[in-house]
Amino acid sequence: MSNTRPSYLPPHLRYPTSIHNVSDKLDKLAIVEDTLAYDDVPVEVSGDSIPKPVSSFSEMGLCKDLNDNIKRCKYVKPTPIQSYAIPVAMAGRDVMACAQTGSGKTAAFCFPIISGILKKRGCEREFGRQRVAFPLALILSPTRELSCQIHEEAKKFSYLTGLKVVVVYGGAPIIPQFRNLEKGVDILVATPGRLVDMIEKSRVSLQAVKYFVLDEADRMLDMGFEPQVRKIVQKMKMPPPGRRQTMLFSATFPTEIQRLASEFLSNYIFLAAGKVGSSADLIVQRVEFVPDMDKKDHLMDLLHSQYPNQTDAKISITLLQQLALTLIFVETKKGADALERWLVRSGFPSIAIHGDKVQFERERALKSFKSGQTPVLVATDVAARGLDVPNVAHVINFDLPRNIDDYVHRIGRTGRAGKSGLATAFFSDKNVPLSKDLVELMQGANQEIPDWLSEYAESSDGARTSRMFGGSDYRGSSFHSGGNNYSGQFVDTEDATHYASAFTYGAPFTADCYGPSQMDSFPAAPHSYSFDYGPVTASGWD
Ligand SMILES: Nc1ncnc2c1ncn2[C@@H]1O[C@H](COP(=O)(O)OP(=O)(O)OP(=O)(O)O)[C@@H](O)[C@H]1O
């Protein structure tokens, strides 16, 4: 596209722009749906004595009951991260794994746990009714909704095995959770705040934990959660690395978080399926320059183009229900409420989810969205990670996040499990610091990059907005031979503890487990942003 307007204008005014026809895009995407195009995903592996990957579930040595459940789930073939991570975990090794959003990481950590417990135990554990629960596996995740989702998945995979899977999370009444724990627990899924509370009330003991998982591990060890996770792992009688098996999973794994994480691991294997921290290639990404004051009008145009044949603004609920789901990310909780109200007034059935809503409302919003009853969900970052909602065809970044890793997780709510999806971002003046990372990410995913965005990226000073998306094994260049490396030497020269203490996260986060999360905002990590934005308003973590 040629540069047709005078050079004193800012880049976005020098290039012609047009609203894209979303309906058209989604139609084209529908054609490539369900191709499960995973075969050519590159996988980087490093560490000592690496178990070989396997290409079918039947070769993984999983126990029979689990294999039956895998068939029930209609999983025919392992995804790349499953092919690599499951044999590693089955061999009892610690693992730090990074794989694209929607690529099946939940099963990758659940299968070895379920199989491992069943194989060792042989038959159902006698629980009786006990006051203190002694889980054998602990899975921590950053949000209540994600913990519930992992719980559902783990229950599905444990069907008819006799395994007891329990979830505890904040915002919900604690007494029923006590009752569930009293019936016995093999696998405990939890958000950190509620778990600490349970341990301090002597209702859970971590002394028997053999398997420990941090899902969304980079978030769990990032500002906010790290002190709580450290307390759980190091001060609450959990067996130390080497006497438990630790598995860390995420789609993004910044180098400094890897360093921090390594002290929770013992002689671990690092896996990176796909370009680490990259977006799934199945997501078509679009970026449009939209000044803040025009965003609402632009959103309306976009939604109208997504739902064509509607001449007036009042779109019938029935029509929307038949169409694909749309997830709109905004920066603040107030912004989410305001946009929800405005969309509803404009005739689009919408519902908001954020950390100021009570848990009941959060769950109701998600349920209504998943069922298609409310096909537009307006969310803060509380819905950015891990949530697996089928039929999310379009993610709109009404407000772009401040770092690229958050963008990767947000757009990853579409384009999951081999399906395609569309992600549209409204880029405004204040997003210029993100332009470089955004262009790099989009280039890596073979996306069309607007000329004006490339110019913004070129003119930005080169400093990164994030903690670096991506994440090759930080342990040393000996692993970076490209492709699989089964013979690399472990070279860990960093002192992670020292590093962690040199790392200032800002005010410690105190998760509120009983009421709405108070953690919808935290100060920016000083190392994160090179532009002076004032306090960052991120959204509700549990
Ligand atoms: N082998 C498989 N075959 C078919 N579908 C699968 C397979 N493994 C996982 N899935 C499905 O893929 C979807 C995404 O899986 P999952 O939620 O575990 O992704 P994820 O990698 O954890 O994503 P995120 O990074 O967003 O947390 C789920 O609906 C899951 O049931």
Side-chain angles (χ1 to χ4, degrees):
M1 201 181 290
S2 64
N3 183 345
T4 52
R5 297 181 208 172
S7 60
Y8 57 79
L9 290 172
H12 65 276
L13 292 180
R14 268 187 277 127
Y15 298 96
T17 54
S18 59
I19 289 182
H20 61 284
N21 187 324
V22 177
S23 161
D24 224 33
K25 281 257 171 233
L26 289 175
D27 284 350
K28 285 193 190 117
L29 292 177
I31 298 166
V32 293
E33 216 163 89
D34 285 328
T35 49
L36 266 166
Y38 284 129
D39 286 344
D40 52 357
V41 171
V43 181
E44 182 194 328
V45 191
S46 47
D48 285 338
S49 320
I50 301 160
K52 287 215 159 24
V54 286
S55 57
S56 73
F57 288 118
S58 58
E59 292 170 78
M60 288 176 174
L62 302 168
C63 63
K64 184 183 172 306
D65 287 351
L66 176 57
N67 269 320
D68 291 345
N69 288 336
I70 293 172
K71 285 192 194 107
R72 281 192 186 99
C73 292
K74 302 198 166 51
Y75 289 7
V76 178
K77 196 172 177 263
T79 63
I81 191 62
Q82 292 165 357
S83 287
Y84 281 75
I86 295 174
V88 167
M90 290 294 287
R93 298 291 300 277
D94 282 6
V95 61
M96 183 189 285
C98 196
Q100 286 167 323
T101 51
S103 63
K105 294 187 284 295
T106 315
F109 59 74
C110 281
F111 291 178
I113 293 176
I114 294 168
S115 195
I117 297 178
L118 287 175
K119 277 187 180 170
K120 281 206 188 93
R121 198 170 78 196
C123 58
E124 211 166 316
R125 211 167 149 204
E126 280 300 320
F127 283 112
R129 208 172 170 83
Q130 50 186 32
R131 200 187 137 80
V132 190
F134 289 88
L136 302 174
L138 174 65
I139 302 170
L140 291 181
S141 98
T143 66
R144 301 160 186 178
E145 289 76 13
L146 182 53
S147 284
C148 290
Q149 181 181 298
I150 296 168
H151 173 239
E152 286 305 315
E153 290 288 287
K155 268 200 327 197
K156 202 169 71 182
F157 301 143
S158 313
Y159 180 65
L160 292 179
T161 62
L163 282 190
K164 288 195 166 33
V165 189
V166 175
V167 62
V168 298
Y169 57 98
I174 203 163
I175 302 293
Q177 294 182 2
F178 284 154
R179 297 289 164 265
N180 286 336
L181 287 170
E182 284 164 7
K183 292 178 204 153
V185 191
D186 291 299
I187 301 173
L188 181 61
V189 188
T191 51
R194 177 59 58 99
L195 178 66
V196 167
D197 198 27
M198 294 266 187
I199 296 169
E200 285 172 349
K201 287 188 164 65
S202 301
R203 303 306 291 249
V204 173
S205 161
L206 301 183
Q207 287 177 67
V209 166
K210 296 267 175 294
Y211 304 93
F212 173 53
V213 176
L214 285 181
D215 193 19
E216 308 297 343
D218 57 330
R219 173 58 75 204
M220 300 303 283
L221 297 171
D222 199 347
M223 51 191 160
F225 276 119
E226 191 259 353
Q228 243 172 346
V229 170
R230 190 176 286 281
K231 184 172 175 184
I232 291 168
V233 179
Q234 295 174 334
K235 302 215 165 80
M236 300 191 119
K237 298 190 180 154
M238 190 192 288
R243 287 212 283 121
R244 61 162 198 258
Q245 189 177 355
T246 305
M247 298 182 252
L248 311 184
F249 282 79
S250 185
T252 49
F253 239 124
T255 310
E256 74 269 14
I257 302 287
Q258 286 189 40
R259 280 201 190 92
L260 199 59
S262 63
E263 71 178 291
F264 298 125
L265 295 154
S266 164
N267 190 21
Y268 66 94
I269 288 171
F270 177 87
L271 294 173
K275 280 168 252 137
V276 181
S278 66
S279 50
D281 291 355
L282 291 163
I283 306 168
V284 173
Q285 297 175 57
R286 300 269 324 202
V287 184
E288 299 179 353
F289 194 96
V290 188
D292 287 336
M293 59 185 294
D294 297 340
K295 280 182 176 177
K296 278 187 181 167
D297 288 343
H298 199 75
L299 178 65
M300 193 48 72
D301 291 343
L302 196 62
L303 290 175
H304 275 295
S305 94
Q306 182 168 343
Y307 308 119
N309 312 321
Q310 293 298 310
T311 42
D312 91 58
K314 297 277 172 210
I315 292 182
S316 82
I317 293 180
T318 358
L319 178 70
L320 274 176
Q321 279 170 345
Q322 293 157 10
L323 297 167
L325 305 181
T326 299
L327 177 53
I328 304 174
F329 281 105
V330 296
E331 190 174 10
T332 64
K333 296 176 280 188
K334 278 201 174 107
D337 283 336
L339 193 62
E340 176 206 17
R341 277 195 301 273
W342 180 78
L343 283 167
V344 170
R345 274 203 310 273
S346 309
F348 286 93
S350 312
I351 197 154
I353 187 167
H354 57 69
D356 262 0
K357 295 215 167 203
V358 295
Q359 190 54 24
F360 162 72
E361 292 173 312
R362 280 166 61 160
E363 281 168 24
R364 191 180 54 184
L366 198 56
K367 198 167 160 205
S368 177
F369 180 58
K370 277 185 175 173
S371 70
Q373 198 181 351
T374 314
V376 178
L377 181 70
V378 184
T380 58
D381 269 328
V382 77
R385 284 193 180 234
L387 293 186
D388 185 52
V389 179
N391 302 327
V392 174
H394 195 183
V395 171
I396 300 174
N397 272 296
F398 185 88
D399 299 319
L400 271 163
R402 286 161 197 265
N403 77 60
I404 201 71
D405 289 350
D406 291 341
Y407 174 81
V408 167
H409 287 277
R410 283 181 179 190
I411 66 169
R413 295 320 96 211
T414 186
R416 301 176 69 75
K419 290 191 175 164
S420 51
L422 178 64
T424 304
F426 293 178
F427 187 102
S428 73
D429 288 338
K430 69 175 191 224
N431 303 126
V432 172
L434 189 71
S435 56
K436 206 173 176 68
D437 286 345
L438 195 53
V439 165
E440 206 177 299
L441 179 84
M442 290 174 73
Q443 270 165 351
N446 300 318
Q447 301 293 312
E448 206 178 296
I449 299 163
D451 294 329
W452 58 263
L453 183 60
S454 300
E455 275 205 28
Y456 274 123
E458 276 159 28
S459 64
S460 86
D461 70 357
R464 286 186 172 275
T465 56
S466 78
R467 310 143 309 196
M468 297 276 287
F469 66 84
S472 296
D473 190 346
Y474 91 96
R475 290 177 294 185
S477 55
S478 59
F479 293 138
H480 296 179
S481 53
N484 302 340
N485 172 355
Y486 291 100
S487 58
Q489 287 295 304
F490 179 81
V491 188
D492 187 356
T493 53
E494 297 288 339
D495 177 344
T497 314
H498 171 78
Y499 188 88
S501 59
F503 210 64
T504 317
Y505 283 112
F509 160 46
T510 44
D512 168 24
C513 297
Y514 298 101
S517 166
Q518 300 181 351
M519 191 50 204
D520 268 26
S521 68
F522 43 66
H527 62 290
S528 294
Y529 310 116
S530 53
F531 290 79
D532 185 15
Y533 271 125
V536 170
T537 314
S539 24
W541 303 102
D542 296 300

